[in-house]
Amino acid sequence: MIKTNENKLKLYGFNNLTKSLSFNIYDICYTKTEEDRKRYIEYIDEQYNSERLTKILTTVTDIIGAHVLNIAKQDYDPQGASVTLLISEEEVPLYVLDPSCNRGILTPIRENIVGHLDKSHITVHTYPETHPENNISTFRVDIDVSTCGQISPLKALNYLIDSFDSDIITIDYRVRGFTRDVDGRKHFIDHDINSIQNFISKETIARYNLIDMNIYQSNIFHTKMKIKDLKLENYLFEISEEDLTQQEREEIIQNLNKEMTEIFYGINVPNV
């Protein structure tokens, strides 16, 4: 590879690589009654409404060194929220002074916005879910960060993990397309990676069991993470351990473990 003094490729024209990070977290909670499940959903909707999610995604944009072009956000009834940010690698002026208008009105530069619609964006969707059969409620956050050029969504990975209470995490990262160096040689990736774990802090890795499934020749990387230590007090909603019998505690832990195992491996585990 031909590289500059900063250890970067000397490219011919624009960096055409597209880098996409898909980040899913699951938060799991024991909700004993129908009223508990209702209050849990209300709590989640309050904690992770579109306003807070927008702040998280805006910080992600700053971390990866991108610029926000547009924000769309929505809270849903009865539950859930979505936010979409359009971003660019370079700072783009959204308005110019149009002298043909009275008082020189600022006019939007629409073509600059449209030019980034299919290349750089960040989206988040939330999915609270409950079911009365096992008294377990789950909350899923789905985040997609897609960038083009030199900016990389992997820079924000630790921040995303730390922004949520995550029992199960699934991460997909892929690099598509190619870019050329000054000699015309194609490069299908512009950075070193053999695992998403390379970009996760050691402190976080110590808290999880991790599995990798990677297709190196296609620049596709997949990592699953499952929390190691299940402390019951962290999974009880509006109830304390002291209110439970030993048998109840064991049954709840068994149900929590079953739920996590099913999500982690993507299978339904039969009841024993």
Side-chain angles (χ1 to χ4, degrees):
M1 288 186 183
I2 300 175
K3 299 188 177 183
T4 67
N5 292 334
E6 283 106 15
N7 204 32
K8 293 181 181 179
L9 284 169
K10 287 183 179 179
L11 299 180
Y12 177 79
F14 184 71
N15 188 326
N16 289 306
L17 291 171
T18 299
K19 302 159 190 173
S20 299
L21 176 72
S22 295
F23 173 83
N24 270 255
I25 74 100
Y26 296 85
D27 177 67
I28 298 167
C29 185
Y30 174 75
T31 48
K32 185 174 183 180
T33 67
E34 182 63 33
E35 185 62 26
D36 288 343
R37 289 186 280 276
K38 179 182 177 182
R39 286 199 293 267
Y40 173 77
I41 295 297
E42 291 173 349
Y43 166 78
I44 288 297
D45 268 0
E46 180 181 350
Q47 289 294 308
Y48 297 104
N49 56 36
S50 64
E51 192 66 31
R52 183 182 178 192
L53 293 173
T54 298
K55 291 179 180 178
I56 291 174
L57 297 194
T58 302
T59 301
V60 168
T61 304
D62 291 338
I63 291 172
I64 67 176
H67 301 275
V68 175
L69 295 178
N70 186 50
I71 298 175
K73 57 185 177 181
Q74 180 67 50
D75 291 297
Y76 296 105
D77 186 16
Q79 64 215 32
S82 296
V83 179
T84 299
L85 272 65
L86 303 180
I87 62 175
S88 68
E89 181 175 5
E90 301 295 334
E91 189 170 6
V92 178
L94 297 185
Y95 296 88
V96 293
L97 190 64
D98 188 348
S100 66
C101 298
N102 292 333
R103 299 180 184 177
I105 294 175
L106 292 173
T107 302
I109 307 175
R110 294 296 180 187
E111 61 270 23
N112 285 338
I113 298 174
V114 174
H116 290 280
L117 286 178
D118 63 343
K119 291 185 178 180
S120 298
H121 65 269
I122 305 175
T123 63
V124 59
H125 306 280
T126 64
Y127 304 89
E129 190 270 341
T130 66
H131 195 278
E133 183 175 325
N134 60 2
N135 299 330
I136 301 294
S137 295
T138 61
F139 168 60
R140 179 167 73 94
V141 178
D142 180 78
I143 296 178
D144 283 297
V145 185
S146 182
T147 67
C148 60
Q150 296 180 6
I151 56 178
S152 172
L154 289 170
K155 292 180 180 179
L157 187 52
N158 283 301
Y159 170 77
L160 286 172
I161 293 174
D162 293 339
S163 295
F164 302 95
D165 294 324
S166 310
D167 298 309
I168 305 291
I169 304 173
T170 62
I171 310 168
D172 293 287
Y173 177 68
R174 59 192 180 276
V175 181
R176 299 190 300 263
F178 66 87
T179 193
R180 293 181 185 272
D181 62 26
V182 291
D183 291 328
R185 184 186 178 196
K186 296 183 182 72
H187 296 273
F188 297 92
I189 194 166
D190 62 353
H191 61 288
D192 294 329
I193 178 174
N194 55 39
S195 171
I196 294 172
Q197 294 187 42
N198 300 152
F199 299 86
I200 302 174
S201 71
K202 293 180 180 179
E203 293 78 11
T204 298
I205 288 178
R207 293 175 15 231
Y208 288 87
N209 292 313
L210 299 94
I211 293 177
D212 274 3
M213 289 174 283
N214 303 316
I215 307 176
Y216 298 108
Q217 63 270 31
S218 298
N219 293 324
I220 296 174
F221 306 88
H222 177 75
T223 296
K224 292 198 227 183
M225 306 167 62
K226 180 176 179 288
I227 200 77
K228 285 181 179 178
D229 297 325
L230 197 161
K231 296 179 180 179
L232 183 58
E233 61 186 24
N234 295 333
Y235 297 88
L236 300 177
F237 186 75
E238 297 193 345
I239 191 174
S240 64
E241 286 192 61
E242 290 74 20
D243 299 324
L244 302 169
T245 66
Q246 182 61 33
Q247 182 178 352
E248 287 176 323
R249 296 179 192 180
E250 292 174 358
E251 289 177 354
I252 293 170
I253 291 175
Q254 183 179 7
N255 285 335
L256 289 168
N257 271 318
K258 181 175 182 287
E259 185 80 3
M260 290 187 193
T261 299
E262 290 183 336
I263 294 172
F264 187 65
Y265 290 106
I267 60 173
N268 287 301
V269 178
N271 294 320
V272 179

